[in-house]
Amino acid sequence: MSAPETDPLLPQSAPAAEPPVIIVPPARQYPDDIQTPWGWTEFAIFMAFGLVSYLFLTTILVMAFYARGITLAQLKGSTFTSSLFAVLDTLLIWLGLFGYLYFTIRVRYQKPLWRTLGWRPFPGGISQRLAVLACLLGGSVFALLIGLASNVVGTRAKLPIELFFQDRRSIWMMMVMAVFIAPLVEETLFRGYLYPLLARSLGIGGGVLLTGIIFGGFHSMQLWGGWGQIVLLILVGIFFTYVRAVTGTVLASYLLHLSYNSFLFASFYFATSGFHKLPPIAQ
């Protein structure tokens, strides 16, 4: 049976148009260690929570000291009391921030806390034990280099942090904080929480650089007036973040930080005969 002929006098239907081809650009690929669930909105909420916590907890602590008969004037006039207040205030704020992170990551996002914050084993193919030893040794060597550079730079200003190095009890408190607590908290906050967000927005290089600058700026009030020391601390932050980016784990920067701080305090301990022969404070 032959196909029906088309009448040339009738209007002809146009051929069916081909559907448009939609080209979807490939999604930007990020390393697994910076693929975190939070963005800038969540970070802004985190910062607001930190500020409110700081104001609230510091006020509560001032009231607690006042209830013990310690006024603000007495607080400022005693090195040990000032150091104790600073340590307790810092610990309370850090506990508040970690509580917030636990709630958002474990409860809201339903993800493992530490792995999501970048705490992972060293990448496969290298010995975990050798990697740990390399980071511990590297932190000590880097602390030695930064210490030598700080001596070369020098400063004529009286640094605020020197307040905590005028008596042995204050120094011991600072050492416990700097060795056992600060590396864990600061690496989690800076290299675990902040760096992935910056790296996704600015690229790995930009994230490393800006995280290091913010890390140094965070400590700048302790070194105010020692501008060379602040610049060196920014370099420390950049180095820590670079190692974290290369290894893909906060564990690496934590070990560097732990070793760095331990070397500084061990050197100060032996140089002052167990914190007995303290150097004069610059005027």
Side-chain angles (χ1 to χ4, degrees), residues 76-254:
K76 296 178 180 179
S78 169
T79 298
F80 175 73
T81 306
S82 298
S83 301
L84 179 62
F85 181 89
V87 168
L88 293 177
D89 193 36
T90 302
L91 287 176
L92 287 174
I93 294 169
W94 282 349
L95 285 174
L97 293 178
F98 264 81
Y100 177 87
L101 291 179
Y102 179 86
F103 175 81
T104 54
I105 294 174
R106 291 290 295 149
V107 178
R108 179 182 177 186
Y109 299 127
Q110 296 291 311
K111 291 184 176 295
L113 177 67
W114 295 108
R115 183 174 180 83
T116 306
L117 285 168
W119 288 84
R120 304 157 182 250
F122 286 96
I126 62 175
S127 168
Q128 298 291 309
R129 186 171 300 178
L130 287 178
V132 169
L133 292 176
C135 288
L136 292 176
L137 178 60
S140 297
V141 172
F142 195 63
L144 175 61
L145 295 176
I146 292 295
L148 293 174
S150 180
N151 289 335
V152 172
V153 171
T155 179
R156 296 182 179 179
K158 180 179 179 181
L159 305 181
I161 196 173
E162 293 178 355
L163 170 67
F164 306 117
F165 288 83
Q166 297 181 17
D167 69 81
R168 297 185 73 243
R169 292 184 300 171
S170 298
I171 297 173
W172 279 109
M173 280 195 300
M174 291 297 108
M175 186 178 72
V176 170
M177 278 283 291
V179 173
F180 296 104
I181 303 175
L184 172 66
V185 175
E186 292 181 359
E187 292 309 310
T188 300
L189 295 179
F190 286 99
R191 257 65 69 173
Y193 187 78
L194 176 60
Y195 164 71
L197 181 59
L198 293 175
R200 293 199 307 270
S201 301
L202 305 175
I204 300 297
V208 167
L209 182 63
L210 188 53
T211 302
I213 293 173
I214 295 174
F215 176 82
F218 176 77
H219 294 84
S220 63
M221 295 305 298
Q222 302 172 0
L223 303 172
W224 197 256
W227 312 118
Q229 283 69 30
I230 294 175
V231 171
L232 289 174
L233 196 54
I234 289 175
L235 294 178
V236 171
I238 292 174
F239 177 66
F240 287 173
T241 314
Y242 172 77
V243 175
R244 182 261 187 264
V246 170
T247 60
T249 174
V250 174
L251 176 61
S253 56
Y254 164 75

Side-chain angles (χ1 to χ4, degrees), residues 4-12:
E5 296 182 358
T6 303
D7 190 339
L9 299 179
L10 295 177
Q12 305 297 311

